[in-house]
Amino acid sequence: DAGVIQSPRHEVTEMGQEVTLRCKPISGHDYLFWYRQTMMRGLELLIYFNNNVPIDDSGMPEDRFSAKMPNASFSTLKIQPSEPRDSAVYFCASSLLLTYEQYFGPGTRLTVT
Amino acid sequence: AQKVTQAQTEISVVEKEDVTLDCVYETRDTTYYLFWYKQPPSGELVFLIRRNSFDEQNEISGRYSWNFQKSTSSFNFTITASQVVDSAVYFCALINSGGSNYKLTFGKGTLLTVNP
């Protein structure tokens, strides 16, 4: 089975533009997580879903960030409008159960100029 | 409050040396799970091990071993006879299982550099 798939792998955009990151979890996994990784703040959990329902979005930095999971095989993380401080690597991960190991995608490196 | 501390920000060793990465955690729950992940220079995070709070048995997998001690709230990771390919950032993580209010916490990571 394929692992977690993320697209795009790299995104460069200008401040103020809308950015959409995509994720396809491992088939059969009920949990999907979005993380952000920066040098300054390390690995931060932004939001996670269970069976397509957002459970904890306390890590979402502000209203410019939104995440959706319309079905079991697809999720998006949207930033609108983007700002330079949003530059980071964004990871998507999935797991069978919340207390099980997570499998991470390759990440999307976002650069906002 | 739940917390994971990896006090060692960076470690540098010479190939074939043994190295231990420390992880100290805090949680009020009696049921919890601990994890180690590896992030090589390629960037992708890779799962290494999962341990639940009721299983204090140490584990060995090849050159890797893990020492879980509830008495000191530590879950340390040792690489024996390190190799250049072990160079990576290693993360320790904790997830509690206290009722319906789950909380997932990652440590800041330890950058391990193994020099030839």
Side-chain angles (χ1 to χ4, degrees):
Chain A
D1 189 15
V4 175
I5 299 172
Q6 290 187 248
S7 65
R9 294 292 307 275
H10 302 272
E11 177 80 31
V12 180
T13 191
E14 292 183 350
M15 183 174 64
Q17 296 298 308
E18 178 180 295
V19 175
T20 299
L21 311 181
R22 297 173 176 79
C23 175
K24 176 180 169 54
I26 292 174
S27 177
H29 281 191
D30 289 338
Y31 287 84
L32 182 140
F33 307 81
W34 281 102
Y35 292 89
R36 178 172 68 176
Q37 186 176 37
T38 61
M39 289 293 292
M40 291 296 294
R41 301 176 69 92
L43 193 62
E44 302 174 274
L45 175 64
L46 300 177
I47 185 172
Y48 76 87
F49 295 82
N50 177 24
N51 291 323
N52 315 337
V53 177
I55 302 301
D56 184 355
D57 64 354
S58 59
M60 296 286 264
E62 47 198 275
D63 292 345
R64 298 184 297 106
F65 286 69
S66 63
K68 294 182 180 180
M69 193 166 184
N71 57 62
S73 59
F74 183 66
S75 177
T76 59
L77 177 67
K78 187 175 293 187
I79 308 173
Q80 166 64 19
S82 58
E83 297 182 2
R85 59 192 169 122
D86 301 330
S87 297
V89 179
Y90 291 81
F91 287 101
C92 176
S94 70
S95 67
L96 196 58
L97 293 175
L98 187 60
T99 56
Y100 280 27
E101 60 272 18
Q102 296 179 27
Y103 293 87
F104 284 77
T108 296
R109 181 172 297 276
L110 173 65
T111 303
V112 183
T113 60
Chain B
Q2 184 160 305
K3 190 177 180 182
V4 175
T5 302
Q6 294 181 256
Q8 304 149 309
T9 305
E10 295 187 34
I11 301 176
S12 182
V13 300
V14 176
E15 207 169 17
K16 297 184 183 177
E17 283 185 28
D18 298 348
V19 57
T20 295
L21 309 182
D22 297 333
C23 173
V24 174
Y25 61 92
E26 295 176 28
T27 180
R28 294 178 181 175
D29 295 300
T30 56
T31 303
Y32 52 89
Y33 299 81
L34 295 161
F35 304 82
W36 276 95
Y37 290 86
K38 174 182 180 180
Q39 186 175 35
S42 59
E44 194 162 340
L45 282 104
V46 177
F47 164 75
L48 294 178
I49 190 171
R50 169 182 180 266
R51 174 68 76 228
N52 75 56
S53 54
F54 298 107
D55 182 4
E56 284 194 75
Q57 196 169 13
N58 291 330
E59 180 153 340
I60 298 175
S61 176
R63 297 183 297 105
Y64 294 172
S65 62
W66 289 269
N67 183 1
F68 177 28
Q69 291 194 341
K70 289 178 73 172
S71 61
T72 56
S73 297
S74 65
F75 186 41
N76 296 337
F77 173 30
T78 297
I79 302 174
T80 303
S82 60
Q83 299 176 3
V84 173
V85 293
D86 296 325
S87 297
V89 180
Y90 291 87
F91 292 93
C92 181
L94 164 71
I95 185 164
N96 72 331
S97 185
S100 60
N101 186 25
Y102 289 96
K103 179 68 177 175
L104 173 62
T105 306
F106 273 80
K108 296 295 186 185
T110 297
L111 172 62
L112 172 64
T113 302
V114 181
N115 298 298

